[in-house]
Amino acid sequence: MPDISLTTLVLLCAAALLAGWIDAVVGGGGLLLLPALLLGLPQVPAAHILGTNKAVAIVGTTGAAVTYVRKAPVRVRTAVRIGLAALAGSMGGAFFAAGISSAVLRPVIMVVLLGVAAFVMLRPSFGTGAGEGPVTRARVVTAIVLVGGGIGFYDGLFGPGTGTFLVLALTAVLHLDLVTASATAKIVNVCTNAGALAMFAYQGTVLWRLAALMALFNLAGGMTGARMALRGGAEFVRGVLLVVVFSLVAKLAFDQWG
């Protein structure tokens, strides 16, 4: 592990705690955790930052997933199928990533996110499970192929906001309430994080000692966030979702024009 000051270590652990909370509620914890690692460890190669990020995130994600599965009506089998499709999609996205300019993708993603925010604000019933039709086999297949494969591909290609996109897509396609969608997204995230972490570990680009310490805080944040989402219900998740969406737009805009 590189030499890290006590102040930096405390800030990284605090970032891991808050990122775990955000990720458990509505996804998007990476918006905080990855920049924190990049700023706190400027001398560390990017590959090691990414590998350490995954080693931390998978612990909090798993803790949140377990908490949700115990108390929310999650279809674990369907979630795992979507997760495996997302894992395959992320590998495909990573393969093409070198040929894609993020400067081209950022404006497109910003427009999509702003459209999503407007939709969520103008349709109060979205994510409550009210007024939605039955979940057919065709919708399940669509979720596996398009939500899993498509968003997994995006995760490998570009990445920011993957968890948030998962929650929104699962809510729309499978008619889930936002709490159940968040729970399902956590299981999918465990699958994709496991695949990515296995590759980083194989390449030797994980700072395991630092990751182990930060993972404890990420786990605490993830489990706390899941419990709060279960208690607060769809309206609580909806509020956090909008905050995360606008934060993601702001970050992408800063990356593009800042």
Side-chain angles (χ1 to χ4, degrees), residues 29 43 49 67 69 86 93 103 112 116 131 138 154 159 161 178 226 230 257:
Q43 76 281 13
I49 295 292
T67 301
V69 168
V112 171
V116 164
Y154 166 79
L178 284 169
L230 287 165
W257 297 296

Side-chain angles (χ1 to χ4, degrees), residues 53-105:
N53 174 65
K54 286 298 181 185
V56 173
I58 193 172
V59 176
T61 300
T62 302
V66 170
T67 301
Y68 274 124
V69 168
R70 287 177 175 174
K71 299 183 179 181
V74 184
R75 298 179 182 177
V76 177
R77 186 177 179 183
T78 299
V80 170
R81 288 177 176 177
I82 297 171
L84 293 176
L87 175 59
S90 66
M91 293 174 67
F95 179 79
F96 288 101
I100 300 293
S101 171
S102 59
V104 175
L105 285 175

Side-chain angles (χ1 to χ4, degrees), residues 47-48 51 197-208:
H48 287 73
L197 179 58
M199 181 59 67
F200 284 123
Y202 174 76
Q203 295 172 341
T205 55
V206 179
L207 303 175
W208 290 110

